[in-house]
Each structure stands twice: as structure tokens, then as C-alpha cells.
Amino acid sequence: MESTKRIDAPRLFFAADAEELAKRAASRVVEIAQRAIAARSRFVLALAGGSTPELLYRMLVERYRDVLDWRRVEVFFGDERLVALDDPRSNFAMAQRTLLRHVAIPESRVHAVPVTLPPEQAAAQYEQSMLATVPPVVAGGPPAFDLILLGIGSDGHVASLFPGAPTLDAVRQYVAAAAPGVLPPPVDRITVTLPVVNAAGAVIVLVAGESKSEVVARALQRSEDPHMLPICGVRPIDGDYEWFLDQAAAKRLSTNTEK
Ligand code: 6PG
């Protein structure tokens, strides 16, 4: 019997387009950050990769560079491709380009993945650095981020947790090596596992574009096995669980009303 409640159904926030989505999500990220900084003088965040978050990161710079106390922000990556950190496919490179080099986060508080190591070693070392920096809610448990940002693949993957991957069953492993998924780029990756996602104080999923409308409709029915649709394995324990969608991604939903 679980002693804590699981959040199965996310709160949905709709935006007219990707720009509006980025604005609304940026406002929410800063609200969560300021709450964490007020409570614990620090905001520990796991960034999402891919393309959807780019607009959000740019919006955080444009609107909040001088508002948020970025010196209090600690950044990890929810997943990373094992390519050079200046490779255009790197999630670190994307975050650097759109956010990190434009705000006053101390370099020591930006935790890049050790991408030059073999996948298993990179995952183990990153897990150690995460455990050393991000306290768990319960001793021995997963690192508890204040916020984990996620995108979603059209196959329902989140971070680099792909359908059918053994990493979907991880319990005590918090960062794992991930073989290339079917979606590009076909490179080795490392990824946080579901216990880390579900231990976060807040999980925000960013979804934009019609190509995601089918997976959005499937995922929100919440009737599929997480092994087939990994987004269904996101069930935060006590955390806030929110999706920010543009109209194109939400087009197959009946309850697509502006919030
Ligand atoms: C990655 C991401 C991945 C991404 C989805 C959606 O490293 O690729 O972490 O999980 O969020 O694939 O990607 P888009 O935002 O590009 O559609």
C-alpha cells in the first residue's frame, strides 16, 4: 500500500502556439524556482533536451534574466546524447546556446554529463554527482529535484526512456545508459530513470506541434502500459504534474479549453 499519493493525471495548460506555450511555461518555471529559493535558498532543475524547450529557454532569458536570482540555480540534464558538448546534437550545447551562457548561473552549478566516458560509466558518474548535489526525500532514495522538465517523443518516450527499454523498470538506478531509440539522433545516451522523475517536487512536460497530437491523446487516456508508452510511467509522488501544450498538440483532445 503506497503511503503517498501518486499524481496520475497532469494539470493541462493550453496555449495558442509555441510562443505562447513558452511564455506560460517560463512564468511557471520561475514561480517554482522562486518558491524553492525562498524555502531552501536553491532551485535544482533538470533540463529537457530536444527542440521543444528551446523557446522556453530563450523566454527565460528574455523575460527573467534580471528577475530570477540565477546564482541560486543548480542545473542538471534529464538526459544527454553521448556526443561532444559542442556537438549540435548535444542537449548541453542547446542549453548553453539558448539559456546558460546568458544568465548568471555559476559554472560550478551547471552539471554537464561526462560524455567522453563509455555509457555505463558516464551514467554511474553522473548518478554520483547527482546524489552528491541533490538531496533525496528519503535516505537512500532518488535525488529529489525541485523541477524536472520533459519533452515527449511521438513514440511516447520521455528523457531517453524509450518504449521497451529495460531502464523503464529501474528502481534503485537513478541514471542509466540508454541505447539509441528509433527517433533521431541514433547515438548512445544517458537518462534519468522514472524514480527520479517521480520524486521531483514538480514535473513539467512541454508539448508542441501536430506531430505530437496522437501521442498526447494516447497518453492522457492513461490506459497504456508504461513499457509501451513511457510517458505513462510519469506518476509523480506528491509533486506537481503539469503539461503545457499548444493547440496543435492538443487538437485531438475534447477538453481543449484555454486555462
Ligand atoms: C532528447 C530529449 C527527448 C525529447 C523528445 C522530444 O534528448 O531527445 O530529451 O526526450 O524531449 O524526443 O523532442 P522534441 O522536443 O525535439 O520533439
Side-chain angles (χ1 to χ4, degrees), residues 5-84:
K5 70 179 171 22
R6 288 269 183 174
I7 314 294
D8 273 319
R11 289 178 65 203
L12 305 179
F13 296 89
F14 298 103
D17 54 30
E19 172 100 10
E20 179 63 24
L21 183 153
K23 281 181 191 159
R24 296 195 72 174
S27 169
R28 181 65 176 132
V29 168
V30 169
E31 184 183 11
I32 294 168
Q34 288 176 329
R35 183 178 70 195
I37 291 169
R40 290 177 298 282
S41 301
R42 196 169 67 140
F43 170 54
V44 193
L45 163 68
L47 294 177
S51 58
T52 305
E54 287 196 36
L55 260 181
L56 163 61
Y57 299 162
R58 293 183 191 282
M59 204 61 76
L60 285 170
V61 174
E62 187 182 310
R63 293 181 158 222
Y64 300 99
R65 171 171 33 202
D66 303 320
V67 173
L68 186 60
D69 184 357
W70 292 92
R71 293 164 306 167
R72 301 277 179 203
V73 178
E74 193 106 37
V75 165
F76 283 83
F77 292 81
D79 71 328
E80 182 57 285
R81 295 88 178 270
L82 296 189
V83 295

Side-chain angles (χ1 to χ4, degrees), residues 1 38 65 71 73 90 100 109 137 167 176 227 240:
M1 175 68 179
R65 171 171 33 202
R71 293 164 306 167
V73 178
S90 161
L100 300 175
R109 291 195 157 192
V137 174
T167 47
H227 293 88
D240 294 327

Side-chain angles (χ1 to χ4, degrees), residues 186-198:
V187 293
D188 280 321
R189 297 146 174 259
I190 66 105
T191 183
V192 293
T193 57
L194 288 172
V196 175
V197 174
N198 291 330

